[in-house]
């Protein structure tokens, strides 16, 4: 528990930067030198599978508050359940606040949004006797069509990294081919403002993964990126506000869409059929407001971060609470992301803290309980 009366756990660290974004580095795909694929495969067994990197972004914005703006890289060791005490890298961005972030799934780098542009960052580092030491640096490559734009509040790559979506504070939704940045969808007023984006998973039913869900201004829409058209507009319930969206698959391998919603009574998870776009179910999970949301890659777990600093992990089959870390952070939980192997959950907060929570193994006779925060 993150409090001042007892020592902080090793999986919780403060890095002096209020965070707005967090992601895992796909280090299995990163190349720091021009070795051939065969050489890379030979190196693979020597890598420490318990060594992972988490990348975070945030800061104090413009002004002379003394709070830095930075992209921060931290190392997480799964075997010891510990985050590095100091950042591996803290790449300062001067007076510009990096607000949102999308990591390329193929290890090419990451896109960060700033107040009036987006910038591309590349992984940097070197190989040594103990493996590779990772870093991050701003690339000389310019994302020309994302220069001199309104603040981008949402960024997302599709699973294969061939498409990038970007949603602005002004409601403009753009989808680009990557890396050519050729525009394939440009919707000026997709929402009053675009707050979240997610691509449909690549699977045997949808091998191209070209469905995109966008969310903002209380509404949620689904787009066919191939035809550049909207295919569904999801209706809200009474007193309901959509706050996050993720595609996933059930244990039966059926594709579903989850939306995290907020009402006057707290936060709920709504499950949608991805063929009819009708509601399958709605489950109240927390009495606080949900600020961040994610779904594990294997589809078994959902996670919510709240205004009270709590982190909640939910069993997607039963929709019951699997794990709760109360006061995981002292401030709002602004971002969270499951690791690619679904074994851990990274979360970040405005209190300048980062935390990694190892997902507990399910127990057959475990009593799942509703989460009551107040």
């Amino acid at each position: 528990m993150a409090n001042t009366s007892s020592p902080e756990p090793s999986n919780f660290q403060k890095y002096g930067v209020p965070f707005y974004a967090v992601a895992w580095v796909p280090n299995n795909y990163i190349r720091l030198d021009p070795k051939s694929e065969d050489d890379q495969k030979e190196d693979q067994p020597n890598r420490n599978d318990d060594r992972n990197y988490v990348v975070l972004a945030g800061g104090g914005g413009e002004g002379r508050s003394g709070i830095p703006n930075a992209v921060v890289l931290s190392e997480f060791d799964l075997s010891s359940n510990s985050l590095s005490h100091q950042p591996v890298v803290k790449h300062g961005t001067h007076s510009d606040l990096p607000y949102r972030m999308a990591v390329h799934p193929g290890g090419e780098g990451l896109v960060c949004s700033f107040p009036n542009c987006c910038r591309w960052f590349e992984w940097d580092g070197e190989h040594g006797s103990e493996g590779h030491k990772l870093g991050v640096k701003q690339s000389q490559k310019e994302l020309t069509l994302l220069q001199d734009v309104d603040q981008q509040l949402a960024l997302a790559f599709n699973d294969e990294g061939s498409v990038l979506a970007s949603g602005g504070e002004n409601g403009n939704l753009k989808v680009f081919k990557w890396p050519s940045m050729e525009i394939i969808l440009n919707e000026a007023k997709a929402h009053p403002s675009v707050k979240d984006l997610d691509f449909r998973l690549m699977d045997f039913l949808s091998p191209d993964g070209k469905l995109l869900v966008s969310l903002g201004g209380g509404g949620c829409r689904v787009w066919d990126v191939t035809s550049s058209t909207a295919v569904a507009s999801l209706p809200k319930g009474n007193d309901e506000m959509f706050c996050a969206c993720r595609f996933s698959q059930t244990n039966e391998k059926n594709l579903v869409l989850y939306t995290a919603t907020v009402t006057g009574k707290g936060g709920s998870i709504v499950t949608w059929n991805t063929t009819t776009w009708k509601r399958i179910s709605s489950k109240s999970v927390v009495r606080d407001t949900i600020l961040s949301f994610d779904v594990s890659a294997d589809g078994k777990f959902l996670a919510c971060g709240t205004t009270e600093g709590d982190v909640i992990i939910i069993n997607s089959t039963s929709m019951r609470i699997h794990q709760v870390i109360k006061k995981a952070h002292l401030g709002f939980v602004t971002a969270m992301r499951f690791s690619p192997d679904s074994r851990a959950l990274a979360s970040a907060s405005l209190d300048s803290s980062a935390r990694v929570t190892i997902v507990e193994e399910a127990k057959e006779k475990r009593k799942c309980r509703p989460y009551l925060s107040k």
Side-chain angles (χ1 to χ4, degrees), residues 68-115:
N69 300 303
V71 176
V72 174
L73 198 61
S74 175
E75 186 175 336
F76 176 70
D77 186 86
L78 185 67
S79 60
S80 62
N81 189 23
S82 61
L83 273 170
S84 53
H85 182 67
Q86 296 294 331
V88 175
V89 172
K90 183 184 282 188
H91 181 92
T93 57
H94 307 291
S95 62
D96 295 330
L97 169 66
Y99 186 61
R100 289 291 185 262
M101 176 173 63
V103 171
H104 190 275
E108 293 182 15
L110 63 115
V111 178
C112 272
S113 70
F114 292 85

Side-chain angles (χ1 to χ4, degrees), residues 24 294-296 301-303 313 336-340 342 344-346 359:
W24 293 82
D294 198 31
V295 180
S296 61
F301 297 104
L302 318 177
I313 299 175
M336 54 176 36
R337 187 70 66 181
F338 280 100
S339 60
S342 304
L345 175 72
V359 180

